Amino acid sequence: MSDATVTPQHHAATPAAPPERMRLHVVLPSESGAMAAGELAGLAREAEELGYAGVWLPDHLLPPGPYGKPPEGYGGVYEALTTLGYLAAVTEHVMLGTSVLVAPLREPLLLARQSATLARLSGGRFVLGVGVGWQPYEFAAAGIGFGDRGARTDRALRLVRRLHTGAGGPYDDGEVAFDGRAVFEPLPQEPVPFLIGGNSDAALRRAAEFGGHWQAVGLTPREFAERAAVLDRRAAERGTRVVAGARIGWDGPDRSLPDVTAEVAAWEAAGAADLGVWFGPVDGGFADRMRALAEGTGVAGGHVSH
């Protein structure tokens, strides 16, 4: 019997998958009461066809001034949750979300039902984006204290998450209370993910507690990267995962397509996983700019490609 010579087998290492590119979203125009609902639906469908990752709606309950172009005007003519139910029926793939809902102005049990229903209607595409609000007038009109809006938001999110995971009573958070007879339906297949809007320490703490998504507004890419690093540390301490993103605007001819595509690239370089873009008033070239940015960034399947 002769000795066999065994030749070692060398296999080429499997190359690592390239990092996933940033997702690009559309913040739909909801600043004009004269805009037909069909026009909003058409923009949502076109955003989906162009390859954007998601469509989002703002929220204001009763602003002390006209709806219109910020900062002078307010967004949210069409009530966001109702409208997203409509948009769920005319789209197939895009993410649907609020950017952002003023959570402390909403009754939390109803918010849990509405968000669970939207998850079912959309096939799991709904993301509940929330903020604490900043306009005292709306809180006074609703008879809700402005000073405890952060605590109200936390309680609402904890209740929504509890009900979406199938947990029932007894429950008492000091504002909402029910016993073991309580029945919550419909249960979403997965708890509706949260998006926390805002740049404050409280917003980062909230995002780290609940996980999901964080959306910065009004920061530069460099400032975003600094805040995102803080968020990463806080999420690691809690054992949660938070996807960081931002929201910007391109609302007029004073900026060129190369300018905006360069800004998009800067956000990706800063580490943003998602970027929502508001393209201005519906009658001021919104659709044209939405199409131009889709072409300029090569967006496909939700992600930029160049």
Side-chain angles (χ1 to χ4, degrees):
M1 182 176 178
S2 62
D3 293 335
T5 302
V6 179
T7 303
Q9 298 296 309
H10 297 283
H11 299 281
T14 302
E20 192 172 69
R21 300 293 301 273
M22 185 174 70
R23 289 182 294 266
L24 199 60
H25 304 254
V26 174
V27 180
L28 292 168
S30 185
E31 298 85 29
S32 171
M35 178 181 61
E39 191 167 2
L40 196 62
L43 288 171
R45 284 195 298 267
E46 184 170 7
E48 181 172 72
E49 293 166 359
L50 288 169
Y52 285 98
V55 294
W56 301 76
L57 283 172
D59 174 57
H60 273 288
L61 188 62
L62 193 71
Y67 288 96
K69 178 181 177 180
E72 298 85 4
Y74 294 82
V77 164
Y78 282 92
E79 195 284 317
L81 298 179
T82 307
T83 306
L84 288 170
Y86 170 53
L87 298 183
V90 299
T91 57
E92 296 180 0
H93 308 297
V94 286
M95 188 182 298
L96 304 163
T98 48
S99 176
V100 289
L101 188 87
V102 185
L105 291 178
R106 303 290 179 133
E107 198 287 315
L109 282 174
L110 180 58
L111 181 59
R113 290 284 307 282
Q114 289 171 316
S115 54
T117 299
L118 272 169
R120 284 285 193 96
L121 293 177
S122 65
R125 293 184 285 139
F126 175 62
V127 175
L128 179 59
V130 302
V132 300
W134 56 271
Q135 177 50 262
Y137 181 90
E138 292 183 291
F139 285 79
I144 295 172
F146 186 72
D148 66 346
R149 66 194 188 280
R152 290 179 63 89
T153 299
D154 289 340
R155 287 195 299 268
L157 294 179
R158 289 173 188 140
L159 178 59
V160 170
R161 180 61 52 81
R162 178 186 180 91
L163 292 173
H164 285 190
T165 56
Y171 179 82
D172 187 346
D173 66 8
E175 294 289 334
V176 176
F178 47 85
D179 62 23
R181 294 171 295 177
V183 175
F184 180 84
E185 292 285 356
L187 277 177
Q189 187 172 1
E190 298 288 342
V192 168
F194 297 142
L195 176 147
I196 306 300
N199 310 322
S200 67
D201 287 342
L204 298 186
R205 188 270 308 157
R206 191 169 291 117
E209 176 181 346
F210 293 102
H213 304 264
W214 168 62
Q215 185 179 79
V217 180
L219 299 182
T220 65
R222 179 177 179 178
E223 292 167 336
F224 163 83
E226 293 170 352
R227 298 304 281 162
V230 174
L231 175 60
D232 286 345
R233 290 195 297 270
R234 294 186 176 182
E237 291 169 358
R238 286 184 170 267
T240 57
R241 180 175 180 272
V242 184
V243 178
R247 173 177 162 171
I248 64 171
W250 179 23
D251 59 355
D254 54 324
R255 298 183 67 199
S256 68
L257 176 61
D259 290 338
V260 180
T261 54
E263 182 179 3
V264 170
W267 281 104
E268 185 175 26
D274 293 278
L275 186 67
V277 185
W278 177 68
F279 295 98
V282 67
D283 57 357
F286 185 101
D288 290 338
R289 285 188 287 275
M290 181 176 72
R291 295 169 193 137
L293 190 61
E295 182 176 356
T297 59
V299 67
H303 300 268
V304 299
S305 66
H306 56 261

